[in-house]
Amino acid sequence: MGMTGILKRIPEETLDLILKGDLDPEDVIRDEEEPGLDLDKSWHALHFLLNGSAWEGEPPLFNAILGGAEIGEDLGYGQIRYLTSKEVQEVALTLVSITEDDLMTRYDPDAMNQLEIYPFDNWSGPGGRDYVLSYYSDFKEYYMEAVRSGSAMLLLIA
């Protein structure tokens, strides 16, 4: 199955309950009645294209996938992380200016291969660009909808 990236919009009140210890963040992010956005294995390539690094970056773009404050138990590939509604807004306001064409100008298969960007063995091969682009539009829209609803966000690599 491999590592997948999951984003989950939540009301700020739900985040408050999680932070108080009244709700388990794992129960919230895995609630199938209100699914989040599954980025499948595109999460690492999206992070790289937004930040120019495999694991580092600067807010607000770093926060889009790998940022946020950790909460809860380590679930295998790390803890669930959260962004406040203000941090979500900062990410969204930056993403709105990055078009698919802009994102693809950052696509560097040699660098991605050298940095071992998950999941592909060879980003120079066919399909890599299309795979990443197939998730970017939904990813960007998910953040925009979070801003429209005043939501906080849970993030998980699982």
Side-chain angles (χ1 to χ4, degrees):
M1 174 150 174
M3 296 184 287
T4 61
I6 301 167
L7 308 177
K8 177 78 176 259
R9 291 186 302 249
I10 59 170
E12 196 77 40
E13 297 79 21
T14 301
L15 178 58
D16 290 342
L17 291 172
I18 290 170
L19 295 176
K20 288 181 193 172
D22 294 339
L23 277 177
D24 182 343
E26 185 176 6
D27 290 343
V28 174
I29 202 165
R30 297 192 188 275
D31 181 359
E32 292 184 19
E33 290 183 26
E34 294 183 38
L37 177 66
D38 185 347
L39 294 173
D40 191 48
K41 298 172 186 171
S42 73
W43 62 269
H44 201 198
L46 287 170
H47 173 81
F48 171 80
L49 295 174
L50 292 171
N51 291 278
S53 171
W55 300 105
E56 304 298 323
E58 296 292 326
L61 289 177
F62 177 76
N63 286 342
I65 296 172
L66 295 179
E70 295 177 334
I71 50 173
E73 300 295 317
D74 186 322
L75 301 177
Y77 296 113
Q79 294 170 269
I80 293 171
R81 290 159 286 104
Y82 71 88
L83 301 175
T84 65
S85 58
K86 182 179 185 314
E87 291 168 321
V88 168
Q89 183 176 22
E90 291 167 353
V91 170
L93 289 174
T94 304
L95 286 176
V96 76
S97 66
I98 302 172
T99 67
E100 289 182 358
D101 288 339
D102 295 333
L103 196 71
M104 286 299 101
T105 64
R106 302 170 182 193
Y107 192 90
D108 182 344
D110 292 334
M112 294 167 78
N113 290 332
Q114 183 178 3
L115 293 170
E116 299 178 354
I117 301 299
Y118 186 77
F120 288 105
D121 292 328
N122 184 0
W123 285 98
S124 302
R129 287 178 187 267
D130 292 340
Y131 175 73
V132 174
L133 274 179
S134 72
Y135 286 92
Y136 184 63
S137 179
D138 289 343
F139 168 73
K140 190 172 166 178
E141 180 54 35
Y142 198 78
Y143 266 98
M144 299 306 148
E145 181 55 38
V147 170
R148 288 190 284 272
S149 63
S151 297
M153 187 89 68
L154 295 179
L155 310 151
L156 176 65
I157 306 300

